[in-house]
Amino acid sequence: MKQKINILLAVLGMVVLFGTASCSDDDFTESIFDTTDYPLDKNSYSFPLDTFVKKNFLEPYNMRYMYRMQDIGSDMEYNLVPCTYDKALDLAVLSKYLWYDVYSQYAGETFLKTYSPRIIHVIGSPAYNPTSGTETLGYAEGGLKITLYNANNLDPNDMDNLNEKFFKTMHHEFSHILHQNINMPNDFPFISNGRYNQSSWQDTPDSVALGQGFISPYASSAYREDWVEIMANYIVKDEITWNDMLKAADYDWETVDDYPAKDFDKAVARGADRDTLGYFVKVTSYESGSPSTYKIQRKLVSRSSDGTAVLNEDGTPQFENSDGQVGRQIILQKLQMATEWIKKNFGYDLQDIRDEVQRRQWVTDADGNFVKGSNGRYINNLTYVRPDGTTLLDELRQEVLKYKELQNK
């Protein structure tokens, strides 16, 4: 199931599944996988990373981290390139630190051995879908394989982008694997029944989706995506961002067709920015080569009894804050349902996973409180320079680089 958003390939052992017609007395081998323990080549440039993934993924969880490009393992519909060694190294150590180690701590080794994907497939380039104007970030195949794209653009300095393009995708696809093993609650698809929009979800602005009770535009594409998006977003979004999303979900939204360009221009001139006025989606007509009308999606404007918009002192429109907080309530209802399902069926607390991921992502003080930078946002824990001049990412990379010592023996 693919995760998309608007505008990770080594084969340590090749896995080929054959579907054949056979008689009941055929002599099958014990495993479809080649379980021979081939020695790694110490003379190979990639020996340190290959050893790391063998020790940390293959041996404990029977999971193959594939980063060398092979066409047979990729989607031929896309024009793809391999992941570079350095980016594959960074993604491997970060996957262990921010994903596997967290679940191992709170859900246990048995859980990971049972539900971990058998392959993480890493591709260097993005996977664009030109017909829909979207980008596929990753997808899960039959509970066995997770494919991650765009690894060559991995930037450890940008935690928000790191989460959006990689770790939210990992949690999203992993959640698909979980519900492919144990069905989601039967009531979940009915919470937002009738509001899913599979064909044009990509045209829905973030805040509009939130106001409708979807944690992201992609969540509004189908109930299965809605189910995994609520968990993935809750795990990776920091507290500031999460609360801002819930605030946006408090508002009702409206669509205005053929909004006059002159009125839109006046609003912009008064200082009404994109978030205040709304989101113009497209030009609906032109006059003398210039836009004359727009289609607008915006917060629901407060109006007097005669239908006139109520304005603030500065001339900007007042917007209605839904007393029922419908979008917020729906999102929190979905989160509660997912949390209870995780606890009942897999025995761990989603809140524990989120808290640990947040502590690993962001700098905390001696009391465990998150530290804000001069911009009012939390400080990236991966690249924060510590008093000794090192970073956490340096430390994580050393878990791979230490195997270079074996090459000299």
Side-chain angles (χ1 to χ4, degrees), residues 256-262 264-265 279-297:
V256 184
D257 290 313
D258 299 330
Y259 190 92
K262 61 182 180 66
F264 180 80
D265 293 340
Y279 298 80
F280 85 88
V281 177
K282 62 180 179 180
V283 178
T284 52
S285 67
Y286 289 86
E287 186 174 314
S288 300
S290 299
S292 57
T293 58
Y294 294 105
K295 176 180 178 181
I296 301 285
Q297 288 180 287

PDB file of all heavy atoms in Angstrom, residues 256-262 264-265 279-297:
ATOM      1  N   VAL A 256     -15.268  28.321  -1.888  1.00  0.00           N
ATOM      2  CA  VAL A 256     -15.892  29.419  -2.615  1.00  0.00           C
ATOM      3  C   VAL A 256     -15.432  29.365  -4.065  1.00  0.00           C
ATOM      4  O   VAL A 256     -14.248  29.503  -4.355  1.00  0.00           O
ATOM      5  CB  VAL A 256     -15.521  30.782  -1.999  1.00  0.00           C
ATOM      6  CG1 VAL A 256     -16.262  31.899  -2.733  1.00  0.00           C
ATOM      7  CG2 VAL A 256     -15.841  30.804  -0.516  1.00  0.00           C
ATOM      8  N   ASP A 257     -16.357  29.121  -4.975  1.00  0.00           N
ATOM      9  CA  ASP A 257     -16.037  29.102  -6.399  1.00  0.00           C
ATOM     10  C   ASP A 257     -16.142  30.500  -6.983  1.00  0.00           C
ATOM     11  O   ASP A 257     -16.944  31.325  -6.530  1.00  0.00           O
ATOM     12  CB  ASP A 257     -16.988  28.161  -7.141  1.00  0.00           C
ATOM     13  CG  ASP A 257     -16.728  26.707  -6.810  1.00  0.00           C
ATOM     14  OD1 ASP A 257     -15.544  26.310  -6.828  1.00  0.00           O
ATOM     15  OD2 ASP A 257     -17.690  25.977  -6.523  1.00  0.00           O
ATOM     16  N   ASP A 258     -15.323  30.765  -7.989  1.00  0.00           N
ATOM     17  CA  ASP A 258     -15.353  32.051  -8.701  1.00  0.00           C
ATOM     18  C   ASP A 258     -15.163  33.237  -7.763  1.00  0.00           C
ATOM     19  O   ASP A 258     -15.888  34.241  -7.833  1.00  0.00           O
ATOM     20  CB  ASP A 258     -16.662  32.189  -9.473  1.00  0.00           C
ATOM     21  CG  ASP A 258     -16.824  31.089 -10.508  1.00  0.00           C
ATOM     22  OD1 ASP A 258     -15.788  30.620 -11.019  1.00  0.00           O
ATOM     23  OD2 ASP A 258     -17.959  30.692 -10.788  1.00  0.00           O
ATOM     24  N   TYR A 259     -14.182  33.116  -6.869  1.00  0.00           N
ATOM     25  CA  TYR A 259     -13.850  34.215  -5.957  1.00  0.00           C
ATOM     26  C   TYR A 259     -13.154  35.315  -6.771  1.00  0.00           C
ATOM     27  O   TYR A 259     -12.155  35.046  -7.444  1.00  0.00           O
ATOM     28  CB  TYR A 259     -12.934  33.701  -4.854  1.00  0.00           C
ATOM     29  CG  TYR A 259     -12.707  34.655  -3.713  1.00  0.00           C
ATOM     30  CD1 TYR A 259     -13.514  34.613  -2.580  1.00  0.00           C
ATOM     31  CD2 TYR A 259     -11.679  35.595  -3.760  1.00  0.00           C
ATOM     32  CE1 TYR A 259     -13.293  35.481  -1.517  1.00  0.00           C
ATOM     33  CE2 TYR A 259     -11.460  36.468  -2.706  1.00  0.00           C
ATOM     34  CZ  TYR A 259     -12.274  36.397  -1.579  1.00  0.00           C
ATOM     35  OH  TYR A 259     -12.070  37.258  -0.535  1.00  0.00           O
ATOM     36  N   PRO A 260     -13.671  36.541  -6.767  1.00  0.00           N
ATOM     37  CA  PRO A 260     -13.102  37.604  -7.610  1.00  0.00           C
ATOM     38  C   PRO A 260     -11.647  37.890  -7.275  1.00  0.00           C
ATOM     39  O   PRO A 260     -11.271  38.020  -6.105  1.00  0.00           O
ATOM     40  CB  PRO A 260     -13.984  38.816  -7.291  1.00  0.00           C
ATOM     41  CG  PRO A 260     -15.242  38.239  -6.745  1.00  0.00           C
ATOM     42  CD  PRO A 260     -14.835  37.002  -6.010  1.00  0.00           C
ATOM     43  N   ALA A 261     -10.837  38.009  -8.310  1.00  0.00           N
ATOM     44  CA  ALA A 261      -9.425  38.281  -8.109  1.00  0.00           C
ATOM     45  C   ALA A 261      -9.216  39.608  -7.406  1.00  0.00           C
ATOM     46  O   ALA A 261      -8.306  39.749  -6.579  1.00  0.00           O
ATOM     47  CB  ALA A 261      -8.688  38.274  -9.457  1.00  0.00           C
ATOM     48  N   LYS A 262     -10.051  40.601  -7.726  1.00  0.00           N
ATOM     49  CA  LYS A 262      -9.896  41.912  -7.096  1.00  0.00           C
ATOM     50  C   LYS A 262     -10.089  41.825  -5.587  1.00  0.00           C
ATOM     51  O   LYS A 262      -9.394  42.507  -4.823  1.00  0.00           O
ATOM     52  CB  LYS A 262     -10.889  42.910  -7.694  1.00  0.00           C
ATOM     53  CG  LYS A 262     -12.359  42.558  -7.521  1.00  0.00           C
ATOM     54  CD  LYS A 262     -13.244  43.595  -8.203  1.00  0.00           C
ATOM     55  CE  LYS A 262     -14.725  43.243  -8.045  1.00  0.00           C
ATOM     56  NZ  LYS A 262     -15.143  43.321  -6.629  1.00  0.00           N
ATOM     57  N   PHE A 264      -9.593  39.085  -3.787  1.00  0.00           N
ATOM     58  CA  PHE A 264      -8.457  38.316  -3.280  1.00  0.00           C
ATOM     59  C   PHE A 264      -7.235  39.220  -3.159  1.00  0.00           C
ATOM     60  O   PHE A 264      -6.527  39.205  -2.151  1.00  0.00           O
ATOM     61  CB  PHE A 264      -8.156  37.146  -4.217  1.00  0.00           C
ATOM     62  CG  PHE A 264      -6.995  36.292  -3.784  1.00  0.00           C
ATOM     63  CD1 PHE A 264      -7.158  35.334  -2.796  1.00  0.00           C
ATOM     64  CD2 PHE A 264      -5.739  36.434  -4.356  1.00  0.00           C
ATOM     65  CE1 PHE A 264      -6.090  34.550  -2.381  1.00  0.00           C
ATOM     66  CE2 PHE A 264      -4.669  35.649  -3.956  1.00  0.00           C
ATOM     67  CZ  PHE A 264      -4.857  34.702  -2.966  1.00  0.00           C
ATOM     68  N   ASP A 265      -7.007  40.034  -4.180  1.00  0.00           N
ATOM     69  CA  ASP A 265      -5.869  40.948  -4.162  1.00  0.00           C
ATOM     70  C   ASP A 265      -5.993  41.966  -3.040  1.00  0.00           C
ATOM     71  O   ASP A 265      -5.012  42.332  -2.388  1.00  0.00           O
ATOM     72  CB  ASP A 265      -5.749  41.665  -5.506  1.00  0.00           C
ATOM     73  CG  ASP A 265      -5.385  40.710  -6.642  1.00  0.00           C
ATOM     74  OD1 ASP A 265      -4.864  39.624  -6.327  1.00  0.00           O
ATOM     75  OD2 ASP A 265      -5.651  41.044  -7.805  1.00  0.00           O
ATOM     76  N   TYR A 279      -6.862  28.890   1.136  1.00  0.00           N
ATOM     77  CA  TYR A 279      -5.956  28.308   0.164  1.00  0.00           C
ATOM     78  C   TYR A 279      -6.579  28.445  -1.220  1.00  0.00           C
ATOM     79  O   TYR A 279      -7.598  27.823  -1.492  1.00  0.00           O
ATOM     80  CB  TYR A 279      -5.730  26.819   0.461  1.00  0.00           C
ATOM     81  CG  TYR A 279      -5.100  26.555   1.797  1.00  0.00           C
ATOM     82  CD1 TYR A 279      -5.844  26.568   2.977  1.00  0.00           C
ATOM     83  CD2 TYR A 279      -3.739  26.274   1.888  1.00  0.00           C
ATOM     84  CE1 TYR A 279      -5.258  26.323   4.196  1.00  0.00           C
ATOM     85  CE2 TYR A 279      -3.140  26.027   3.108  1.00  0.00           C
ATOM     86  CZ  TYR A 279      -3.913  26.054   4.257  1.00  0.00           C
ATOM     87  OH  TYR A 279      -3.323  25.804   5.462  1.00  0.00           O
ATOM     88  N   PHE A 280      -6.023  29.282  -2.084  1.00  0.00           N
ATOM     89  CA  PHE A 280      -6.586  29.305  -3.433  1.00  0.00           C
ATOM     90  C   PHE A 280      -6.065  28.075  -4.145  1.00  0.00           C
ATOM     91  O   PHE A 280      -4.881  27.763  -4.108  1.00  0.00           O
ATOM     92  CB  PHE A 280      -6.264  30.619  -4.164  1.00  0.00           C
ATOM     93  CG  PHE A 280      -4.945  30.665  -4.865  1.00  0.00           C
ATOM     94  CD1 PHE A 280      -4.843  30.227  -6.177  1.00  0.00           C
ATOM     95  CD2 PHE A 280      -3.827  31.178  -4.245  1.00  0.00           C
ATOM     96  CE1 PHE A 280      -3.630  30.281  -6.853  1.00  0.00           C
ATOM     97  CE2 PHE A 280      -2.613  31.243  -4.899  1.00  0.00           C
ATOM     98  CZ  PHE A 280      -2.512  30.803  -6.207  1.00  0.00           C
ATOM     99  N   VAL A 281      -6.964  27.348  -4.739  1.00  0.00           N
ATOM    100  CA  VAL A 281      -6.629  26.063  -5.339  1.00  0.00           C
ATOM    101  C   VAL A 281      -6.268  26.225  -6.813  1.00  0.00           C
ATOM    102  O   VAL A 281      -5.271  25.702  -7.279  1.00  0.00           O
ATOM    103  CB  VAL A 281      -7.796  25.069  -5.182  1.00  0.00           C
ATOM    104  CG1 VAL A 281      -7.474  23.750  -5.872  1.00  0.00           C
ATOM    105  CG2 VAL A 281      -8.090  24.845  -3.708  1.00  0.00           C
ATOM    106  N   LYS A 282      -7.052  26.988  -7.535  1.00  0.00           N
ATOM    107  CA  LYS A 282      -6.748  27.158  -8.950  1.00  0.00           C
ATOM    108  C   LYS A 282      -7.491  28.370  -9.490  1.00  0.00           C
ATOM    109  O   LYS A 282      -8.496  28.825  -8.941  1.00  0.00           O
ATOM    110  CB  LYS A 282      -7.141  25.920  -9.739  1.00  0.00           C
ATOM    111  CG  LYS A 282      -8.630  25.601  -9.708  1.00  0.00           C
ATOM    112  CD  LYS A 282      -8.921  24.346 -10.514  1.00  0.00           C
ATOM    113  CE  LYS A 282     -10.400  24.000 -10.468  1.00  0.00           C
ATOM    114  NZ  LYS A 282     -10.689  22.776 -11.251  1.00  0.00           N
ATOM    115  N   VAL A 283      -6.966  28.869 -10.587  1.00  0.00           N
ATOM    116  CA  VAL A 283      -7.632  29.951 -11.291  1.00  0.00           C
ATOM    117  C   VAL A 283      -8.790  29.358 -12.087  1.00  0.00           C
ATOM    118  O   VAL A 283      -8.630  28.354 -12.784  1.00  0.00           O
ATOM    119  CB  VAL A 283      -6.653  30.681 -12.240  1.00  0.00           C
ATOM    120  CG1 VAL A 283      -7.369  31.776 -13.017  1.00  0.00           C
ATOM    121  CG2 VAL A 283      -5.479  31.249 -11.453  1.00  0.00           C
ATOM    122  N   THR A 284      -9.952  29.948 -11.970  1.00  0.00           N
ATOM    123  CA  THR A 284     -11.111  29.429 -12.699  1.00  0.00           C
ATOM    124  C   THR A 284     -11.435  30.229 -13.949  1.00  0.00           C
ATOM    125  O   THR A 284     -12.193  29.765 -14.794  1.00  0.00           O
ATOM    126  CB  THR A 284     -12.340  29.376 -11.771  1.00  0.00           C
ATOM    127  OG1 THR A 284     -12.525  30.658 -11.162  1.00  0.00           O
ATOM    128  CG2 THR A 284     -12.151  28.334 -10.685  1.00  0.00           C
ATOM    129  N   SER A 285     -10.886  31.448 -14.056  1.00  0.00           N
ATOM    130  CA  SER A 285     -11.079  32.210 -15.285  1.00  0.00           C
ATOM    131  C   SER A 285     -10.011  33.287 -15.395  1.00  0.00           C
ATOM    132  O   SER A 285      -9.397  33.680 -14.401  1.00  0.00           O
ATOM    133  CB  SER A 285     -12.472  32.851 -15.327  1.00  0.00           C
ATOM    134  OG  SER A 285     -12.591  33.846 -14.331  1.00  0.00           O
ATOM    135  N   TYR A 286      -9.789  33.738 -16.632  1.00  0.00           N
ATOM    136  CA  TYR A 286      -8.790  34.775 -16.925  1.00  0.00           C
ATOM    137  C   TYR A 286      -9.463  35.946 -17.628  1.00  0.00           C
ATOM    138  O   TYR A 286     -10.485  35.788 -18.302  1.00  0.00           O
ATOM    139  CB  TYR A 286      -7.684  34.231 -17.819  1.00  0.00           C
ATOM    140  CG  TYR A 286      -6.746  33.263 -17.149  1.00  0.00           C
ATOM    141  CD1 TYR A 286      -7.054  31.907 -17.090  1.00  0.00           C
ATOM    142  CD2 TYR A 286      -5.546  33.694 -16.588  1.00  0.00           C
ATOM    143  CE1 TYR A 286      -6.194  31.009 -16.494  1.00  0.00           C
ATOM    144  CE2 TYR A 286      -4.676  32.801 -15.983  1.00  0.00           C
ATOM    145  CZ  TYR A 286      -4.998  31.460 -15.941  1.00  0.00           C
ATOM    146  OH  TYR A 286      -4.148  30.568 -15.338  1.00  0.00           O
ATOM    147  N   GLU A 287      -8.851  37.104 -17.461  1.00  0.00           N
ATOM    148  CA  GLU A 287      -9.297  38.283 -18.179  1.00  0.00           C
ATOM    149  C   GLU A 287      -8.068  39.053 -18.627  1.00  0.00           C
ATOM    150  O   GLU A 287      -7.267  39.480 -17.790  1.00  0.00           O
ATOM    151  CB  GLU A 287     -10.183  39.163 -17.288  1.00  0.00           C
ATOM    152  CG  GLU A 287     -10.798  40.346 -18.023  1.00  0.00           C
ATOM    153  CD  GLU A 287     -11.771  41.105 -17.141  1.00  0.00           C
ATOM    154  OE1 GLU A 287     -12.601  40.454 -16.481  1.00  0.00           O
ATOM    155  OE2 GLU A 287     -11.658  42.342 -17.114  1.00  0.00           O
ATOM    156  N   SER A 288      -7.905  39.208 -19.926  1.00  0.00           N
ATOM    157  CA  SER A 288      -6.731  39.875 -20.503  1.00  0.00           C
ATOM    158  C   SER A 288      -5.434  39.221 -20.045  1.00  0.00           C
ATOM    159  O   SER A 288      -4.443  39.889 -19.743  1.00  0.00           O
ATOM    160  CB  SER A 288      -6.730  41.367 -20.142  1.00  0.00           C
ATOM    161  OG  SER A 288      -7.888  42.001 -20.630  1.00  0.00           O
ATOM    162  N   GLY A 289      -5.450  37.912 -19.932  1.00  0.00           N
ATOM    163  CA  GLY A 289      -4.255  37.164 -19.569  1.00  0.00           C
ATOM    164  C   GLY A 289      -3.960  37.100 -18.089  1.00  0.00           C
ATOM    165  O   GLY A 289      -2.989  36.472 -17.673  1.00  0.00           O
ATOM    166  N   SER A 290      -4.795  37.760 -17.272  1.00  0.00           N
ATOM    167  CA  SER A 290      -4.589  37.746 -15.820  1.00  0.00           C
ATOM    168  C   SER A 290      -5.743  37.015 -15.143  1.00  0.00           C
ATOM    169  O   SER A 290      -6.874  37.013 -15.652  1.00  0.00           O
ATOM    170  CB  SER A 290      -4.488  39.174 -15.276  1.00  0.00           C
ATOM    171  OG  SER A 290      -3.393  39.846 -15.845  1.00  0.00           O
ATOM    172  N   PRO A 291      -5.481  36.385 -13.972  1.00  0.00           N
ATOM    173  CA  PRO A 291      -6.566  35.700 -13.267  1.00  0.00           C
ATOM    174  C   PRO A 291      -7.689  36.670 -12.912  1.00  0.00           C
ATOM    175  O   PRO A 291      -7.431  37.780 -12.441  1.00  0.00           O
ATOM    176  CB  PRO A 291      -5.883  35.170 -12.004  1.00  0.00           C
ATOM    177  CG  PRO A 291      -4.433  35.097 -12.358  1.00  0.00           C
ATOM    178  CD  PRO A 291      -4.186  36.250 -13.280  1.00  0.00           C
ATOM    179  N   SER A 292      -8.902  36.267 -13.169  1.00  0.00           N
ATOM    180  CA  SER A 292     -10.049  37.090 -12.785  1.00  0.00           C
ATOM    181  C   SER A 292     -10.863  36.443 -11.677  1.00  0.00           C
ATOM    182  O   SER A 292     -11.524  37.128 -10.901  1.00  0.00           O
ATOM    183  CB  SER A 292     -10.951  37.360 -13.996  1.00  0.00           C
ATOM    184  OG  SER A 292     -11.391  36.141 -14.577  1.00  0.00           O
ATOM    185  N   THR A 293     -10.850  35.112 -11.591  1.00  0.00           N
ATOM    186  CA  THR A 293     -11.534  34.428 -10.488  1.00  0.00           C
ATOM    187  C   THR A 293     -10.707  33.239 -10.023  1.00  0.00           C
ATOM    188  O   THR A 293      -9.940  32.645 -10.780  1.00  0.00           O
ATOM    189  CB  THR A 293     -12.933  33.917 -10.902  1.00  0.00           C
ATOM    190  OG1 THR A 293     -12.791  33.033 -12.025  1.00  0.00           O
ATOM    191  CG2 THR A 293     -13.866  35.066 -11.255  1.00  0.00           C
ATOM    192  N   TYR A 294     -10.885  32.913  -8.749  1.00  0.00           N
ATOM    193  CA  TYR A 294     -10.221  31.766  -8.140  1.00  0.00           C
ATOM    194  C   TYR A 294     -11.257  30.833  -7.525  1.00  0.00           C
ATOM    195  O   TYR A 294     -12.382  31.240  -7.241  1.00  0.00           O
ATOM    196  CB  TYR A 294      -9.292  32.215  -6.995  1.00  0.00           C
ATOM    197  CG  TYR A 294      -8.105  33.046  -7.401  1.00  0.00           C
ATOM    198  CD1 TYR A 294      -8.083  34.416  -7.153  1.00  0.00           C
ATOM    199  CD2 TYR A 294      -6.995  32.458  -7.993  1.00  0.00           C
ATOM    200  CE1 TYR A 294      -6.989  35.185  -7.490  1.00  0.00           C
ATOM    201  CE2 TYR A 294      -5.889  33.222  -8.330  1.00  0.00           C
ATOM    202  CZ  TYR A 294      -5.897  34.580  -8.090  1.00  0.00           C
ATOM    203  OH  TYR A 294      -4.804  35.322  -8.421  1.00  0.00           O
ATOM    204  N   LYS A 295     -10.809  29.583  -7.299  1.00  0.00           N
ATOM    205  CA  LYS A 295     -11.553  28.688  -6.414  1.00  0.00           C
ATOM    206  C   LYS A 295     -10.817  28.702  -5.084  1.00  0.00           C
ATOM    207  O   LYS A 295      -9.617  28.403  -5.036  1.00  0.00           O
ATOM    208  CB  LYS A 295     -11.598  27.262  -6.964  1.00  0.00           C
ATOM    209  CG  LYS A 295     -12.283  26.266  -6.018  1.00  0.00           C
ATOM    210  CD  LYS A 295     -12.287  24.869  -6.618  1.00  0.00           C
ATOM    211  CE  LYS A 295     -12.920  23.860  -5.660  1.00  0.00           C
ATOM    212  NZ  LYS A 295     -12.902  22.495  -6.228  1.00  0.00           N
ATOM    213  N   ILE A 296     -11.518  29.075  -4.019  1.00  0.00           N
ATOM    214  CA  ILE A 296     -10.894  29.262  -2.707  1.00  0.00           C
ATOM    215  C   ILE A 296     -11.405  28.214  -1.724  1.00  0.00           C
ATOM    216  O   ILE A 296     -12.587  27.905  -1.694  1.00  0.00           O
ATOM    217  CB  ILE A 296     -11.232  30.664  -2.136  1.00  0.00           C
ATOM    218  CG1 ILE A 296     -10.745  31.766  -3.074  1.00  0.00           C
ATOM    219  CG2 ILE A 296     -10.673  30.843  -0.736  1.00  0.00           C
ATOM    220  CD1 ILE A 296      -9.268  31.991  -3.042  1.00  0.00           C
ATOM    221  N   GLN A 297     -10.488  27.654  -0.932  1.00  0.00           N
ATOM    222  CA  GLN A 297     -10.885  26.868   0.247  1.00  0.00           C
ATOM    223  C   GLN A 297     -10.355  27.594   1.463  1.00  0.00           C
ATOM    224  O   GLN A 297      -9.161  27.875   1.548  1.00  0.00           O
ATOM    225  CB  GLN A 297     -10.310  25.447   0.161  1.00  0.00           C
ATOM    226  CG  GLN A 297     -11.012  24.595  -0.883  1.00  0.00           C
ATOM    227  CD  GLN A 297     -10.435  23.206  -0.967  1.00  0.00           C
ATOM    228  OE1 GLN A 297      -9.337  23.004  -1.479  1.00  0.00           O
ATOM    229  NE2 GLN A 297     -11.169  22.238  -0.468  1.00  0.00           N
TER     230      GLN A 297
END
